[in-house]
Amino acid sequence: MARNGFFTGLDIGTSSIKVLVAEFISGEMNVIGVSNVPSTGVKDGIIIDIEAAAAAIKKAVEQAEEKAGMTIEKINVGLPANLLQIEPTQGMIPVPSESKEIKDEDVESVVKSALTKSITPEREVISLVPEEFIVDGFQGIRDPRGMMGIRLEMRGLIYTGPTTILHNLRKTVERAGIQVENIIISPLAMAKSVLNEGEREFGATVIDMGGGQTTVASMRAQELQYTNIYAEGGEYITKDISKVLKTSHQIAEALKFNFGQSNVQEASLTETVKVDVVGSDKPVDVTERYLAEIISARIKHILDRVKQDLERGRLLDLPGGIILIGGGAIMPGAVDVAEEIFGVTVKLHVPNQVGIRNPMFANVISLVEYVGTMSEVDVISQNAVSGEELLRRKPIDFTEEERFGIPVYNEQPVENRVPVQPQNQSAPQPRYSDEKPSEPKPGLGDRVRGIFGSMFD
């Protein structure tokens, strides 16, 4: 059940930083302020320059404050799936009160008892999600408060991440003048927000096609089963266009947004656009089909890697199929290419909030929805985690952590999996096809994607 009040979210991406302010009233989420500014100091989803990233965050917060008409003092920050680990945990305590009635303090105590699980010094507990409480042997209890019992047990999932990444994340947000209220695991929030009740129960996969990376999260039986990050995204498509056409990064970005098409079969062989290239004093004509082949090669390369890991985890045939979000998913033909690669149902998720009906805002919306819909037991659990970790935290040096790690499969061994490495290889040189279009295509000028014009306010 949603809580009433104002909630904030901060999505620190490679290409952009987004801040959202929303008010929850009687379970309804109303967006009152949102900002989207170019990202600095972030590479492949990881902060590499605290000062630069803090400046961008501060700018995004100020814009959101201006639109919302309020001051943001605390913010909920999304944490990517880099080196995330999921482990089962459990705790047990005797109910101390004379009445034997379970109170908030008892729930907090049993959560803290579950946190005694051995955690290596280089890792930190991010969140503990209770799955069930057990009172005197009676299982399946969601909220034990008010019940009477002698022994209280809890079973749940504990999420841990690298201490360095978490420290740098907090330090950056605090340097921007904002206090971190909660650190939210982005794949978990993303799956819960994007998927409906049936998809969360029977299983589905969300793919966030971002600028610098692609994030995958699979959920089944209401639990996060798998999450991983691939160090390729929309920026790699821009780099491919720039390298193949020998043009500037700025021109390549404009070509991608205004004339980009993921599905080669839908692109025209005759419609052309003039492109300024290095080493020539005259613009070169580039067909829409040629541009589409460059874009399609990179998207297929990314999704092929995702498919291999989903097949390895036996998650490709989940009944809910694949749901695409993120700025890269907006490109025409992305759903068609994904269906061709995965061989399952693929759909594009478009948020229904007024003013931000755009897949690129799905991540920051999910952060706010996750916090706003936390139950009282979830809040108690998160506060217990925050309190315990605050006592255990020690100052550390700013050393760059390995940016990409082991894919996380819930309830499956992952020790032998190969770390994901960034791919610097450009897309292969495309060739013209002799296939003739079956029908005339509209001119490029008529097909400019106006939706990208307001990408950065």
Side-chain angles (χ1 to χ4, degrees), residues 94-140:
V95 180
S97 64
E98 293 182 3
S99 65
K100 299 302 177 184
E101 182 176 314
I102 299 171
K103 302 177 181 178
D104 290 3
E105 294 81 6
D106 301 318
V107 173
E108 184 176 359
S109 296
V110 77
V111 170
K112 288 182 178 179
S113 72
L115 291 172
T116 58
K117 185 180 180 71
S118 178
I119 304 297
T120 56
E122 68 273 9
R123 301 193 68 80
E124 182 179 319
V125 177
I126 307 166
S127 180
L128 189 153
V129 179
E131 291 182 304
E132 68 169 348
F133 290 90
I134 304 169
V135 179
D136 293 347
F138 293 97
Q139 303 179 354

Side-chain angles (χ1 to χ4, degrees), residues 221 226 260 363:
Y226 166 79
N363 204 349

Side-chain angles (χ1 to χ4, degrees), residues 326-338:
I330 306 173
M331 186 172 297
V335 172
D336 297 332
V337 173

Side-chain angles (χ1 to χ4, degrees), residues 186-241:
S186 291
L188 181 61
M190 183 174 66
K192 286 194 172 184
S193 173
V194 172
L195 304 181
N196 59 40
E197 183 69 22
E199 290 167 340
R200 291 195 297 270
E201 181 62 35
F202 292 100
T205 297
V206 181
I207 301 179
D208 180 8
M209 303 177 69
Q213 60 188 16
T214 298
T215 304
V216 180
S218 296
M219 180 168 276
R220 179 173 52 193
Q222 304 291 338
E223 293 179 6
L224 189 64
Q225 299 290 324
Y226 166 79
T227 182
N228 194 19
I229 285 183
Y230 302 84
E232 296 177 80
E235 288 190 355
Y236 284 75
I237 297 175
T238 303
K239 292 177 182 177
D240 290 343
I241 296 172

